[in-house]
Amino acid sequence: MKAPRSNSREKILAAAADVARESGPGSLSLEAVASRAGVSKGGLLYNFPTKAKLMQGLVEGYLRDFGQALETANSADKGKNPLAVYVALSADDCEDKRPSASWIFSAIAEDPDFMTPITTFKRQLFERLKGETPDLKSLLVCYLAIEGLRSMSLFDADVLSKDERQLLVASLLEIAGSPQTRED
C-alpha cells in the first residue's frame, strides 16, 4: 500500500486513479474525485481546471511510474540489455487489464496539448534506447511492435490471442538479445 499523499494535487491524482480504476476513465466525474480526495470541487479545479488536465496529470503519473520501473529493471539487469528490459517490462504492462482509453479522444479534442507529455516521454525513451542499442534495426522492430501492442491494449482493439501475444514477445526478446546486442 502506498504512503498517504501529502499535498492536495497528489491526493487528487491518487483519488482520480482510484475512481478511474473503479468506474473507467471515461466515466470519471470531478465530483467523485473531489469527494474521494477530501477536497472541494473548487480545490480540485484550482489544481486541474478541466477534466482533460486531470486526465493529463494521471497520464504524466503513469509515464513517471513506467520510467522509474524501467530504471529499476535496467539496474537489476546491470544495463546489459536495455532493449530486452524495455520489451519485457512493456509486454508485462500491456497484460494489465485496464478500461478502454477511448476517453483520450475527447481529452485531445478539449486540449490538443494533451498528447505533449506522452510524445515527449516516448521521444526521450526512443532516443535513450537508440543510444543504448547498437542495432537500430532491432530497436525499430521491437519499439514499434511494442507500441502497436500497447495501442491495441489501450484502445481495447487487441486482435491477438494470448498465444500469439506470447509468441510476439518471445520473438521480440529474441531480436533484442540477438548476437549483435552489446556485451559487458
Side-chain angles (χ1 to χ4, degrees):
M1 189 143 195
K2 292 184 178 179
R5 311 284 179 137
S6 57
N7 67 41
S8 61
R9 182 178 173 84
E10 292 302 314
K11 285 188 342 192
I12 291 166
L13 286 171
D18 290 345
V19 171
R21 266 191 298 278
E22 292 167 7
S23 63
S27 303
L28 189 74
S29 90
L30 297 179
E31 292 80 9
V33 172
S35 175
R36 176 76 58 97
V39 300
S40 67
K41 188 172 177 187
L44 184 149
L45 292 171
Y46 174 80
N47 287 282
F48 300 99
T50 64
K51 184 176 175 181
K53 289 295 184 192
L54 176 60
M55 298 309 290
Q56 187 174 10
L58 284 174
V59 169
E60 289 168 350
Y62 165 79
L63 295 174
R64 187 175 44 256
D65 291 348
F66 183 82
Q68 289 171 346
L70 191 57
E71 288 296 323
T72 300
N74 271 323
S75 292
D77 185 54
K78 296 180 176 54
K80 290 180 186 173
N81 194 335
L83 181 57
V85 168
Y86 163 75
V87 168
L89 185 64
S90 296
D92 286 347
D93 189 54
C94 288
E95 290 298 314
D96 291 343
K97 290 296 175 205
R98 293 184 182 91
S100 172
S102 55
W103 57 268
I104 288 178
F105 298 121
S106 61
I108 293 169
E110 186 176 325
D111 181 4
D113 292 331
F114 179 83
M115 292 298 294
T116 301
I118 298 168
T119 305
T120 299
F121 178 84
K122 288 182 181 289
R123 170 52 56 196
Q124 290 171 346
L125 175 60
F126 181 75
E127 290 300 324
R128 176 179 153 198
L129 287 169
K130 199 160 74 169
E132 297 171 338
T133 306
D135 182 9
L136 182 59
K137 182 170 71 173
S138 294
L139 171 60
L140 289 170
V141 169
C142 290
Y143 186 82
L144 292 174
I146 284 294
E147 290 304 315
L149 193 62
R150 187 182 309 280
S151 292
M152 286 192 310
S153 174
L154 186 65
F155 294 109
D156 201 23
D158 195 349
V159 297
L160 301 179
S161 70
K162 182 177 181 173
D163 289 342
E164 290 165 335
R165 261 191 317 282
Q166 289 174 339
L167 177 60
L168 172 64
V169 172
S171 299
L172 293 174
L173 288 170
E174 185 179 318
I175 291 167
S178 69
Q180 297 174 358
T181 301
R182 179 174 50 220
E183 297 293 323
D184 277 337

